[in-house]
Amino acid sequence: MGALGHYLEAEGVPTTQISLIREHTEKINPPRALWVPFELGRPLGAPSDVDLQRKALTAAIELLQAPRGPVPADFPYEGPASTADIDQDPAVWACPVTFAASSGEPVGDEALASNFKQEVAELRNWHDLSLKSTGRTSMVHFEPDPLLQLLSDYLLRGDKKAPGTDMPFAVALRLAAQDLKTFYFESVIARPGATTPTSKAFTRWFWNETVAGAVLKAIKEKCLDETDEAMRMNGKLLLVPIEQG
Amino acid sequence: MARLDEFPEPMRSHLADLPCPSFQTHPWTEGPDLSKRRVALISTAGLHRRGDRPFESMTGDYRVIPGDVEAKDLVMTHVSTNFDRTGFQQDWNVAFPLDRLRELAQEGVIGSVAAYHYSFMGAADPASMASSAKTLADLLKGDGVDAALLVPV
């Protein structure tokens, strides 16, 4: 991000920017930058916190009027502690969905795929309702059924088919993994009585307590055995977060 | 949160090892009063309109986001799995503060909002964005933009 500031400014476009990783911004030293104490993925602070978003946006833009100063400048407000770096106690956010299928001993791929289908079906109603009430889904490419099909077929048979798209299978698989996580998030927060988890609570739940998380980890392992470089890159980096091993 | 030493391993090393150029030059461009500026958003979150090409490679390419875009039509195909997406899924302003920017324009804090915004995919090597940035600078100037707000993810 910081580098773009250099390039654009050198071409005569005044720039300001938000900085999330202080050390990177210090090294790149762009013309203007505001360092904010927010987690990665949330450069403006917190969802639906209009006041905080506005403060961050205004502080970043006001640097355009300031004389050349230290880079990065500091955002003079605290971050949203409840959603940033404080891990939510499992007792605080308990997913209202208990999947019988997701607990117990490791199972083979067939059982995994069967449990996966059941889990997606349980969430599907809530996702449909969420879409109807909000009019928005962040799922990029796949409807739930083709998504389930693509992931299950690759898991069970190594099929590299992505119906309805001409993109390379490795790209389709990566988008499917993201869409799956989005489907789970949008579904669980739509359930009656559900509260919204912090990012960390959601991550912990998805990767440790759902069949979907186990499916993606199994698919990651299969990708590592592929000869195609893009598929191996999926296995190494692009399906499962680094912290999930 | 985001000082490197606050991340647990192996994330800390992953971030510390990302390509991060340093520069010998210190460009600085002035502009008019904020209330007269036309502001564009430039994101590196891998954002694009639904139906536009997903980000696939590390070549420093970008997507054009029309200024009248709505939240339901903006999606994210950044390749990294190592940052939170649930904030954006609840409220696009967390990563792409277009509603907030429109409000500032209505209130006269800034002059206007650009007709077009842009997104790169931040996992690309910053050096690969250099040639795109030259093109982008011409497009921004053509739109009358004299303030670019760069937003990472």
Side-chain angles (χ1 to χ4, degrees):
Chain A
M1 190 86 258
L4 265 177
H6 264 275
Y7 301 138
L8 291 176
E9 196 96 11
E11 296 292 327
V13 178
T15 65
T16 184
Q17 62 186 274
I18 288 175
S19 158
L20 283 168
I21 300 177
R22 192 178 184 93
E23 288 87 344
H24 286 180
T25 305
E26 285 171 346
K27 184 172 176 202
I28 294 174
N29 192 27
R32 305 167 196 86
L34 175 77
W35 180 71
V36 292
F38 307 142
E39 66 180 305
L40 299 188
R42 301 185 172 197
L44 274 295
S48 306
D49 190 339
V50 173
D51 184 54
L52 184 67
Q53 293 170 4
R54 192 185 162 93
K55 281 177 177 155
L57 176 62
T58 307
I61 287 180
E62 283 178 346
L63 291 175
L64 287 159
Q65 304 238 103
R68 199 184 273 261
V71 176
D74 287 316
F75 184 56
Y77 301 95
E78 291 293 315
S82 63
T83 54
D85 48 357
I86 291 179
D87 204 356
Q88 207 169 32
D89 190 287
V92 177
W93 188 76
C95 177
V97 190
T98 304
F99 296 124
S102 63
S103 58
E105 296 300 309
V107 295
D109 287 349
E110 290 284 350
L112 198 57
S114 165
N115 293 343
F116 181 40
K117 188 174 181 182
Q118 183 188 335
E119 195 177 83
V120 168
E122 286 181 44
L123 290 171
R124 179 70 190 267
N125 290 324
W126 300 108
H127 197 267
D128 289 349
L129 287 171
S130 161
L131 188 55
K132 206 169 181 179
S133 67
T134 66
R136 181 186 179 218
T137 174
S138 293
M139 293 175 74
V140 174
H141 192 79
F142 293 97
E143 294 286 325
D145 286 340
L147 180 59
L148 182 70
Q149 191 82 37
L150 181 148
L151 294 170
S152 298
D153 288 353
Y154 179 69
L155 175 71
L156 293 175
R157 293 188 292 279
D159 285 355
K160 297 192 187 67
K161 290 183 204 148
T165 173
D166 55 1
M167 66 179 90
F169 182 77
V171 175
L173 181 60
R174 173 172 68 75
L175 294 182
Q178 288 297 349
D179 276 354
L180 183 68
K181 281 189 288 183
T182 304
F183 171 81
Y184 272 63
F185 180 73
E186 291 176 344
S187 300
V188 293
I189 64 171
R191 302 252 318 183
T195 53
T196 304
T198 63
S199 61
K200 284 186 179 174
F202 175 74
T203 296
R204 183 175 48 212
W205 171 73
F206 183 84
W207 291 107
N208 298 316
E209 296 179 34
T210 71
V211 180
V215 164
L216 290 186
K217 286 179 179 174
I219 287 177
K220 168 197 164 94
E221 295 302 321
K222 281 182 79 90
C223 286
L224 290 172
D225 292 334
E226 296 278 357
T227 51
D228 177 59
E229 182 55 37
M231 287 293 282
R232 280 213 306 279
M233 183 59 82
N234 275 343
K236 282 182 207 161
L237 275 177
L238 305 182
L239 298 181
V240 178
I242 288 174
E243 64 188 13
Q244 299 300 324
Chain B
M1 170 171 181
R3 286 176 192 265
L4 283 178
D5 61 9
E6 294 168 39
F7 286 95
E9 288 292 359
M11 188 64 179
R12 196 201 71 77
S13 294
H14 170 73
L15 291 170
D17 292 343
L18 290 176
C20 192
S22 56
F23 295 85
Q24 300 304 313
T25 56
H26 302 283
W28 182 264
T29 304
E30 304 268 357
D33 189 83
L34 263 191
S35 64
K36 294 189 171 60
R37 297 234 197 180
R38 186 168 175 82
V39 184
L41 295 175
I42 301 177
S43 166
T44 47
L47 300 172
H48 55 82
R49 285 169 296 145
R50 187 180 297 282
D52 201 350
R53 298 150 295 145
F55 283 94
E56 292 184 23
S57 63
M58 309 290 187
T59 52
D61 52 333
Y62 63 86
R63 303 286 180 271
V64 179
I65 302 172
D68 61 357
V69 67
E70 295 180 49
K72 65 182 174 61
D73 296 322
L74 196 72
V75 295
M76 183 184 280
T77 57
H78 198 295
V79 301
S80 174
T81 55
N82 296 306
F83 65 86
D84 172 61
R85 282 167 153 83
T86 65
F88 174 77
Q89 287 160 11
Q90 294 168 74
D91 175 4
W92 69 335
N93 291 290
V94 164
F96 191 74
L98 188 54
D99 291 329
R100 300 292 85 79
L101 202 59
R102 287 167 175 162
E103 289 159 10
L104 293 186
Q106 279 165 7
E107 294 161 17
V109 177
I110 60 170
S112 60
V113 179
Y116 295 97
H117 308 279
Y118 301 88
S119 181
F120 290 79
M121 198 278 290
D125 183 338
S128 71
M129 298 179 193
S131 62
S132 288
K134 286 186 190 303
T135 309
L136 191 56
D138 288 340
L139 293 169
L140 289 166
K141 286 187 234 175
D143 189 4
V145 169
D146 49 15
L149 172 62
L150 315 184
V151 186
V153 78

